[in-house]
Amino acid sequence: MEPTHFSRFLFLLLAAGILILFACANFPTYLPPQPSPRLSSRCSASSSSSNSSACKSRKIAGILKQPPNPTAESRRLRHESATPQHPLDPLTIQELNKVRHVINSHHLFKSSSAVALHTVVLEEPPKSAVLRWSPGDPLPPRKAFAIARSGGDTLLLSVDVASGELKADRALGSAPSGYPTMTVEDMTSATWAPFASADFNRTITDRGVELSDVACLPISLGWFGKKEEDRRLIKVQCYSMKDTVNFYMRPIEGLTVVVDLDTKDVIEIVDKGRHIPIPNAANTDYRYSAIKKNQRLDLVNPISIEQPKGPTFTVTGDHLVSWANWEFHLKPDPRAGVIVSQARVKDPETGEMRSVMYKGYTSELFVPYMDPTDAWYFKTYMDAGEYGFGLNSMPLDPLNDCPRNAHYMDAVFAAGDGTPYVRPNMVCIFESYGGDIGWRHSESPITGMGIIEARPKVTLVARMAASVANYDYIIDWEFQTDGLIRIKVGLSGILMVKGTSYVNKNEVPEDENLYGTMLSENVIGVIHDHYVTFYLDMDVDGLDNSFVNVHIKKEETSPEVNSPRRSFLKAVREVAKTEKEAQIKFQLYNPSEYHVVNPGKTTRVGNPVGYKVVAGGTAASLLDHSDPPQLRGAFTNNQIWVTPYNRSEEWAGGLFAYQNHGEENLQVWSDRDRGIENKDIVVWYTMGFHHIPCQEDFPIMPTVSSSFDLKPVNFFERNPILRIPPNVEKDLPVCKAAASA
């Protein structure tokens, strides 16, 4: 490249980087897509005229205080005037601006030109204060918790929003290893840093790739020894965007750049893939607009749920959700994604709102790839602690991510300099009915009773989707009228693939390990795992709970019973007294149920009230426990853990997950073996997925889902939805396609 051209190119790169940073701090400009005209319909309740009570119901959604397609300006004004209504409401724009001013004015940072705020969130009031609070009471003091880096030091800050008082609790120097979650600015600037290196640019052009066609990703490097200590590092790998938006399918294989995250200096360039061609762009574009009209598949007609009487749920003060017999607080979070708090369900017998869970959220996601070679061994991501699950949650797409009857919730986050910005439509809430059955019974004709009783199962879903670079995670919190909470994880997006010189599996020598599956010419999908660990602060009918392992045991039939049966099953209850007794590895032929009970509350026949964890997504980690990634991801060594409530133990991989050594995580806390019987306890559940890629995952993956349940067990005196009515035809809308469709 001519020197003048190269200088011009660097200038364009710098300008593009500035534009990206500006966009990251100005997310209100992203607006939800308009509903497709193809889905327009004429709807009417079967008992009413065709002027459509069903369609009128959309106006009723105004009680949710959100216009269907707000402009950027109306969204900004609404958030700038917002005030907190609940002790757990997230920090508002006004509060974030105040916190930013306090931090920038403090003597610790006033003289520094480089202060980065990696976290600025509500410092939640003590649990006891939140539980004492009732609507109409003054809010507890509002405080912000911030993690700041300045001059190579990491500080934990507490800022009183009203008084402006700032306390710096401790520096990282006295804490375990590791660094805070990256900022969006960290990630963006890291991807541009290699272009300042002439050696990197030369390496790219030597591969036959135009610099203007290069896209790079910031890849956390885990921790593998002394070489990676005492400074924040990141590895950058790059792809060709030529002829496709799906650059992930066109890796520049074997090229890895090590960058200092603080200085943006290029530390090392490793290039061991010059012999590997860049895969072809053909058939990699996944956009509907890129598919030729004669190749599009219209497999099903558009579908929607209509609610003639309007939505059943309400959202008060932007965050307090009430639906059917449930009430809970819901808020976006930059690290966890969404947090569900103070989930309570109404007892149909007494009308009392009873506590089920104080707080639940995604604590960590661990994604180790199973390729030990030079360009892959370090790919062992902590998607929440390193990248921020909420920071990477993109606006949801109406009609596709969420149905037409959904209500949307924005997030207000702080950029790296503390400036607040709005992430629109980060969460959606909607009522769902997929033809499922709440309960049913039909009498056999032999009884002479013509009974057919069935009830529809309608649920409420709170959904978010995080796009952590190539992978997309969909997290659903689903509430059911029978008291069950279902937590569902969906995996979609694009595989992280490896380039190869082979174009067909037949070319691969028998003794060569591809570490994955050949998906297309020159493309290998590398085997990997996903572990999603949930924090569940269960408060079943109060604070003092116990964890009960209900063993399902085979029992030999006693000769005294005089039965032809030789064996049967019985339930043996074992109350866990300490943490180690509640470290659970699932075993198919040694099954158990796992109950959280309140020993001080019993039903009228004497059973302790409780909830049980119903397992799902049960893949377990097979990595050696001494493997460096598994030391950091030791919270996946068991599927269930139970710890005493401790405000400082919220993140399964540790507060500072980035480059930590594994000396502060859930395994370490639980191994203290503290008492957990009849105490305020937290249950941790890890869902696991082994992913051996297949050709159906190319060029983009169909969603794979699994879920686990929190299910009432002797919590109610009887079936809590016994008295709900069945559906009746006259109450339902009749929808016909509009003439313009």
Side-chain angles (χ1 to χ4, degrees), residues 138-196:
L139 292 178
R142 298 277 289 176
K143 294 183 179 181
F145 169 71
I147 300 177
R149 277 187 56 78
S150 177
D153 293 326
T154 302
L155 296 173
L156 304 182
L157 310 176
S158 177
V159 179
D160 188 299
V161 176
S163 69
E165 181 185 7
L166 183 149
K167 294 180 180 178
D169 289 340
R170 62 184 172 93
L172 185 60
S174 60
S177 64
Y179 298 102
T181 305
M182 287 185 287
T183 64
V184 173
E185 291 84 351
D186 277 335
M187 293 180 259
T188 305
S189 59
T191 63
W192 292 106
F195 292 95

Side-chain angles (χ1 to χ4, degrees), residues 467-537:
S467 299
V468 189
N470 57 305
Y471 245 100
D472 289 64
Y473 296 88
I474 304 104
I475 306 292
D476 286 355
W477 286 81
E478 182 176 358
F479 294 83
Q480 301 187 8
T481 51
D482 59 4
L484 182 143
I485 303 174
R486 175 161 292 159
I487 299 99
K488 182 178 179 182
V489 175
L491 307 177
S492 188
I494 301 171
L495 288 171
M496 182 164 280
V497 302
K498 179 177 181 176
T500 177
S501 58
Y502 303 119
V503 298
N504 192 288
K505 190 177 178 183
N506 294 334
E507 301 173 2
V508 183
E510 287 187 8
D511 60 348
E512 182 171 346
N513 193 338
L514 296 181
Y515 304 106
T517 305
M518 182 164 282
L519 306 177
S520 186
E521 292 81 359
N522 306 117
V523 177
I524 294 170
V526 177
I527 296 169
H528 57 283
D529 285 349
H530 298 265
Y531 300 102
V532 189
T533 298
F534 288 88
Y535 173 104
L536 306 164
D537 180 1

Side-chain angles (χ1 to χ4, degrees), residues 5 43 69 253 382 434 455 481 606 622 624 655:
H5 292 168
C43 314
N69 289 292
E253 189 58 48
M382 301 275 192
R455 302 292 185 271
T481 51
L622 304 178
D624 191 295
L655 177 62

Side-chain angles (χ1 to χ4, degrees), residues 312 323-325 346 348-349 433 436-440 453-459 480-483 718-728:
T312 311
W323 172 78
N325 50 349
K346 181 180 287 187
E349 308 297 330
Y433 174 59
D436 295 321
I437 298 169
W439 64 264
R440 79 171 320 277
E453 289 282 332
R455 302 292 185 271
K457 177 182 283 190
V458 179
T459 66
Q480 301 187 8
T481 51
D482 59 4
R718 56 176 176 162
N719 181 345
I721 54 173
L722 177 68
R723 292 175 284 179
I724 65 170
N727 273 342
V728 180

Side-chain angles (χ1 to χ4, degrees), residues 24 30 166 461 579 618 737:
C24 290
Y30 293 129
L166 183 149
V461 179
E579 290 175 276
T618 55

Side-chain angles (χ1 to χ4, degrees), residues 83-92 95 121-145 161 316-317 319-320 327-331 339 341-342 344 358-359 647:
T83 56
Q85 304 293 314
H86 186 281
L88 298 177
D89 280 357
L91 296 172
T92 65
E95 290 175 322
V121 294
L122 176 75
E123 182 181 308
E124 294 187 357
K127 187 173 179 179
S128 57
V130 176
L131 293 175
R132 285 195 305 268
W133 183 85
S134 296
D137 293 348
L139 292 178
R142 298 277 289 176
K143 294 183 179 181
F145 169 71
V161 176
T316 305
H319 297 285
L320 189 62
E327 178 181 278
F328 57 92
H329 187 274
L330 182 70
K331 69 177 176 185
I339 296 176
S341 300
Q342 289 195 288
R344 302 189 302 165
Y358 180 74
K359 190 175 181 181
R647 288 187 68 180

